Structures are given as structure tokens and as C-alpha cells.
């Protein structure tokens, strides 16, 4: 496994799937400026998608443990005010 140029803090080291290449992908594609750690990204996505739903804690834990990972569009766009992205993966074109 290659070393990432992004250093893990003790919080991030607890994520078994967050090493090497996956750190680089997170930093380049999904991390936002105000998110210093992977935990910040997970919190943003869960808050945006689940809100106050009773299962939000379970979803957060599932993502943290690597048992569930939302799609790239969700990781990149959920919880952002930017209107140039969409969370949709399916489009219907017609007249």
C-alpha cells in the first residue's frame, strides 16, 4: 500500500478503510474546506440525508465502520449550498 500525502490524525486512523489511496480520493473529491477530518464529511452527509430521523445514528455508525458507503454524488454534494451539483444519478429525457 502506498503512503498518502495526507496525514491521518488519531480520529481518522480508526477508520479501517481510510488508508492510502482512499485518503487521496477523499481529499480530492469529497472533502470540503471546512472539513478537517473524515468525521466531518460523514457528519455533513448524514445530517443532509437523514436530518433528525431516528436512524441517523445507525447510518453514521455504518458509514464510520465501512459497512455502508453512499455513492460519490451523495458524498460530494449532500449538505452543500452549491446549486451546480445534483444528488440524482438517473435522468429521464423526453418531450
Amino acid at each position: 500500500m502506498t503512503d498518502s500525502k495526507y496525514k491521518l490524525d488519531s480520529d481518522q486512523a480508526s477508520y479501517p478503510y481510510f488508508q492510502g489511496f482512499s485518503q487521496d480520493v477523499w481529499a480530492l473529491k469529497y472533502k470540503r474546506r471546512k472539513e478537517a477530518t473524515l468525521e466531518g464529511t460523514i457528519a455533513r452527509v448524514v445530517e443532509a440525508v437523514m436530518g433528525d430521523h431516528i436512524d441517523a445514528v445507525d447510518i453514521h455508525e455504518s458509514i464510520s465502520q465501512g459497512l455502508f458507503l453512499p455513492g460519490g454524488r451523495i458524498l460530494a454534494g449532500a449538505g452543500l449550498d452549491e446549486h451546480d451539483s445534483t444528488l440524482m444519478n438517473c435522468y429521464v429525457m423526453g418531450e
Side-chain angles (χ1 to χ4, degrees), residues 27 34 80 86:
K34 63 182 179 179
L80 300 180
T86 179

Side-chain angles (χ1 to χ4, degrees), residues 4-76:
S4 171
K5 62 182 174 181
Y6 302 99
K7 299 300 178 200
L8 289 175
D9 62 22
S10 61
D11 178 50
Q12 290 171 302
S14 68
Y15 300 104
Y17 59 88
F18 191 63
Q19 300 175 14
F21 181 70
S22 60
Q23 295 169 39
D24 295 338
V25 172
W26 168 73
L28 295 171
K29 300 287 186 181
Y30 307 119
K31 178 185 177 294
R32 299 300 168 232
R33 287 183 203 144
K34 63 182 179 179
E35 297 168 355
T37 65
L38 179 61
E39 176 60 32
T41 302
I42 294 171
R44 170 181 53 84
V45 170
V46 171
E47 171 72 23
V49 174
M50 300 297 291
D52 292 334
H53 193 276
I54 194 165
D55 292 330
V57 172
D58 292 336
I59 295 297
H60 190 283
E61 289 177 10
S62 294
I63 296 171
S64 295
Q65 295 170 9
L67 301 174
F68 171 72
L69 187 62
R73 287 183 181 271
I74 307 301
L75 289 173

Side-chain angles (χ1 to χ4, degrees), residues 72-93:
R73 287 183 181 271
I74 307 301
L75 289 173
L80 300 180
D81 292 332
E82 300 168 8
H83 297 288
D84 61 344
S85 65
T86 179
L87 303 182
M88 302 291 187
N89 254 352
C90 180
Y91 302 92
V92 176
M93 304 293 278

